[in-house]
Structures are given as C-alpha cells and as structure tokens.
Amino acid sequence: MRKMFISFFLCSLFNVIVSAQAYLNTILERLECIQSASYIDLKEAWEPGDTEPVYATPFYMEEYRNPSDTVIGSSYLSWDSVGKRRFEGGYDGTVSASMFHEEKGIVIDDFSIPRAPFRLVSPPFFNYAESIIRYLLGTTDSLTKEIKETEEIYYVKMTIHEENQIEFFGKPCRIPTPPFYMEPTSIYELWVDKLTGLPYKVRREMSHSISTNTVSEVKLNGLDPAAFNLYDCFPTDYEIRMYGQKKRSTSALEGKKAPDWQLADTTGRLVSLSGLRGKIILLNLTGIGCGPCHAAIPFLNTLKGRFPNDLDVVAIDTWGRKQSSIRNYIRHNAIRYLFLEGTPDIAKAYQTGGAAPYFFLLDENRVVRKMFFGYKVGESDKEIIRAIEALLR
C-alpha cells in the first residue's frame, strides 16, 4: 500500500511539473505572436527596507518587435500616461533617447561609449516577460521555481542562485560584481491573466533594489511597425546632444558662488549651505536608485577620515525621494556623511537637468572651484582627491 501511495504521489508530481512546463511554453508562444502593443505601464521601485515605493509612475508605451535588433529585440516609445502629452524617451534598435524636460534637452546614446558589457536599455514589458520565461524554460543555471494557480491567474516565481545577479536586457545578462556588496540571488515573479494567457505584472527583486511593472489597457498588434520613427517624437524646440558630450552649462558655475539652499535632514532639521562654516565642502547631487550614485558611497564615506579637519561631505537627493526612503537609504548603505532631502529647485540652480551624480567642490567662501559629473570607481576617486588636495595647498 505504501509503495502504491509513493508511486501515485510521484506520478501526480510529475504530471504537475509537465503541466506547468507546458503552460509556460504556451505563454511563450503567445508572447512570440505579439508584433506590437500599446499599454499603460505602472513602474514602481523600492530600495531594500522601504515600506512604500520611492516612485510609482505610469507611462503610456508603444512596443514593437524588432527582429533586426539582435541585442534587445524590441523597440519602444514612451509618453506620460495621460493623453500622450509629453514624450519621455524611446529606443529604435540603434540608439536610445532620454528627455530632460527642465532644460529642454534630449540625450542620444548610440552605445559607442561602453558603460557595461551589455546595452543599458530598459526593455519594454512584453519583451521583458518573454526574456524571463525563455530563460526559465531553457537555462541550466541553478534556480528554484514556484508555480501557483488560482481561478483567474497563474503565478510564477523564479529564484536564481548564481554567483552574479541576472538582469534581462533582451537576453539574460550577468551583472559584474560592483564596488559595494550585493547578495547575488535574483528573484523574478510573473502574474499571468488566464483570460488572455499573457503576463500583466513582473516583479524583480535584488539585494540592492526592487521593481515592478504592471500593465493595463493593453491593445495587441494594432500598431504599424512601418510608421515607427523615434526622431518624429522629439519636440522641435529641444536641444539634442550625444551621450558623453559635455553640456554647455556644466562649467557655468565654476568660479562663481554656489547657489544657497535650505533643506531638511532626516530629523526634519533645516540645514543651509550658508550656515555650514569653516571647511571646504564636497557637495554631491545624487539620486536614490542611481547606480553610479550608489557606487560612490564607499568612497564618500572615506573622505571624512582622510580630511577630518578640512572637508565636509554633503549629499542632496535630487530625485524627489521621500524622507522615509532617504532614512532607509542612509541606514541600508551605512552612509556617514550629511544627506539632505532636495527640492526641484536644486537641480535647476545647479544646472544638472536632473542627471546624477554631480560633485561640486566648494571652497571656504562657497565658491565652486571644481565640478565633476558621473562616477567611475577608482578613476573618479583620484580626480576628486587631487582636486581637494590642490584646494588645500
């Protein structure tokens, strides 16, 4: 009797696994039939430990399968979610475009300046879901999967146990080990609507960030791929520049008094630039959720010990994060320097266009003596330290 039960259990388990595998293949086949799609994509993100998202922003998306692009495999256009009033960016398989509305600018990235061993393009929703399922069905990587079914949805959870985190940029990409610690486990969850047989939500969880994409108002295969033109979406009064090309305004503050500000710290206490006395200041305009900004934290933490009597480090979040997110970010990353909640006026005053990170080295009179944009581990460290030492001579 016991042997019969064990045999029946193993047979049932095998049938469940085969059924799940077959259903995943069916979902993949349906995704492969999507040549174009329009939808609202609600993008949300959390830092580890956050109890509420640092942002929750809906976008209207147009997604196109692009077989000529062997990297991502899709093109897309993105607008604000209400009536397509404002274009936000896109990718045509050759270049990506990012909008900086505050300064009426467009940055074109043709990927000629390498930033990673893969193309840094956030893939559109159905391309993203297809890549995840294709990986789940075909990989030999170490992973565990959990599959649940209700009357209305099919839920799939994949936990990847590899030495590097796995991200999906058209294909699975192994993330190089960063300068700060990242637990390598990668978790992906998908929710599939049984009525359509297609995913409608994807959740990605890493040790350093969590994000979800949830789509609604989906319309399939109603767009004409021949009508796709990224450049047609650009506002005619915006300045276009290539990624890596120095903005005309980035050096405008050097040699001038830094714009004053009064901002709140994590206790709600107001701190002003003019109220900081005596020492030179390295002012870091940063963004919670920005990778290079995150990578700079260990270096910035060392500066106080290296120049204890001569330098203060002050960071300002310019991406509009809430106080709860800022407190969590400080705690999670063991930040040991002053970190303040910014306002939209800060990016305008310091002419950053919302990009990050920026570093402004201010002398004791709060004159901007040197400005740095971006951060590369080691290289940026040396440049900033040389500038500090030159100012202290």
Side-chain angles (χ1 to χ4, degrees):
M1 185 71 179
R2 176 181 171 82
K3 289 183 178 179
M4 288 179 61
F5 174 78
I6 293 173
S7 177
F8 174 77
F9 173 77
L10 291 175
C11 183
S12 298
L13 180 61
F14 175 77
N15 288 336
V16 169
I17 293 171
V18 170
S19 175
Q21 195 85 352
Y23 191 69
L24 288 173
N25 274 300
T26 300
I27 296 170
L28 181 59
E29 289 171 3
R30 288 173 177 161
L31 286 166
E32 290 173 338
C33 290
I34 298 175
Q35 298 302 312
S36 68
S38 64
Y39 48 83
I40 302 297
D41 185 357
L42 175 61
K43 300 176 185 287
E44 300 174 275
W46 294 258
E47 292 293 310
D50 279 336
T51 56
E52 55 183 327
V54 294
Y55 66 81
T57 308
F59 294 90
Y60 173 78
M61 302 288 296
E62 291 185 355
E63 174 179 349
Y64 299 80
R65 185 174 294 275
N66 185 354
S68 65
D69 174 24
T70 59
V71 182
I72 305 298
S74 284
S75 301
Y76 73 87
L77 303 170
S78 173
W79 290 265
D80 67 288
S81 63
V82 182
K84 295 175 61 174
R85 294 174 303 184
R86 191 169 79 169
F87 184 63
E88 297 294 345
Y91 170 72
D92 67 2
T94 303
V95 303
S96 68
S98 302
M99 312 298 291
F100 293 86
H101 296 293
E102 291 293 335
E103 60 182 29
K104 290 193 171 184
I106 305 169
V107 174
I108 301 292
D109 189 353
D110 63 0
F111 312 106
S112 59
I113 300 176
R115 290 183 283 164
F118 38 81
R119 192 169 281 189
L120 286 172
V121 173
S122 296
F125 180 83
F126 289 112
N127 172 282
Y128 190 42
E130 182 179 327
S131 298
I132 294 169
I133 293 175
R134 192 182 301 281
Y135 170 84
L136 175 58
L137 289 170
T139 188
T140 58
D141 287 348
S142 174
L143 59 82
T144 54
K145 61 184 175 184
E146 176 186 348
I147 300 175
K148 295 179 181 179
E149 185 178 5
T150 71
E151 289 186 6
E152 297 181 345
I153 69 167
Y154 208 81
Y155 167 79
V156 181
K157 181 178 181 179
M158 172 177 65
T159 304
I160 305 169
H161 311 284
E162 289 291 306
E163 292 183 358
N164 295 86
Q165 291 181 339
I166 304 293
E167 297 271 19
F168 293 91
F169 298 96
K171 299 179 179 67
C173 301
R174 298 178 189 277
I175 304 303
T177 303
F180 51 91
Y181 173 74
M182 284 197 324
E183 209 282 328
T185 300
S186 309
I187 301 173
Y188 289 90
E189 298 167 271
L190 294 96
W191 287 259
V192 179
D193 182 354
K194 279 187 170 181
L195 187 62
T196 64
L198 291 171
Y200 66 90
K201 180 177 179 179
V202 174
R203 182 179 185 271
R204 157 198 165 277
E205 180 177 344
M206 307 290 190
S207 64
H208 66 292
S209 69
I210 301 164
S211 62
T212 66
N213 293 73
T214 307
V215 297
S216 60
E217 302 180 33
V218 177
K219 297 178 181 178
L220 299 177
N221 298 327
L223 301 172
D224 179 9
F228 179 95
N229 191 317
L230 175 63
Y231 294 89
D232 282 350
C233 301
F234 293 173
T236 56
D237 58 339
Y238 277 38
E239 177 190 3
I240 299 175
R241 63 183 175 87
M242 298 301 296
Y243 175 80
Q245 177 183 340
K246 193 171 183 180
K247 291 163 52 181
R248 289 180 298 181
S249 63
T250 53
S251 62
L253 290 177
E254 288 190 9
K256 297 180 181 178
K257 190 93 167 180
D260 199 8
W261 39 257
Q262 187 178 55
L263 303 169
D265 66 11
T266 54
T267 68
R269 178 178 65 99
L270 292 178
V271 179
S272 67
L273 177 59
S274 56
L276 298 173
R277 303 290 182 185
K279 299 180 180 180
I280 65 174
I281 293 174
L282 182 65
L283 181 63
N284 171 213
L285 299 194
T286 187
I288 293 178
C290 157
C293 302
H294 194 175
I297 291 173
F299 166 65
L300 296 177
N301 271 338
T302 67
L303 288 178
K304 186 70 175 175
R306 183 160 184 158
F307 304 100
N309 302 314
D310 302 299
L311 176 73
D312 277 332
V313 177
V314 180
I316 300 173
D317 174 69
T318 60
W319 284 12
R321 303 318 189 209
K322 301 171 184 176
Q323 275 284 0
S324 58
S325 294
I326 293 173
R327 286 193 294 269
N328 177 63
Y329 190 72
I330 292 170
R331 181 176 62 253
H332 184 77
N333 294 290
I335 291 173
R336 299 195 297 271
Y337 45 89
L338 184 60
F339 202 109
L340 303 173
E341 179 184 8
T343 67
D345 292 336
I346 295 296
K348 290 180 183 179
Y350 282 83
Q351 305 173 22
T352 67
Y358 272 88
F359 302 89
F360 297 86
L361 184 59
L362 315 182
D363 66 18
E364 293 181 350
N365 297 313
R366 304 305 173 244
V367 172
V368 178
R369 300 295 293 271
K370 196 75 175 177
M371 187 280 302
F372 307 88
F373 172 58
Y375 180 79
K376 290 185 179 180
V377 177
E379 180 180 328
S380 297
D381 304 4
K382 292 175 183 177
E383 290 180 1
I384 291 172
I385 287 173
R386 280 197 298 267
I388 293 170
E389 290 175 339
L391 187 55
L392 290 174
R393 290 194 188 107

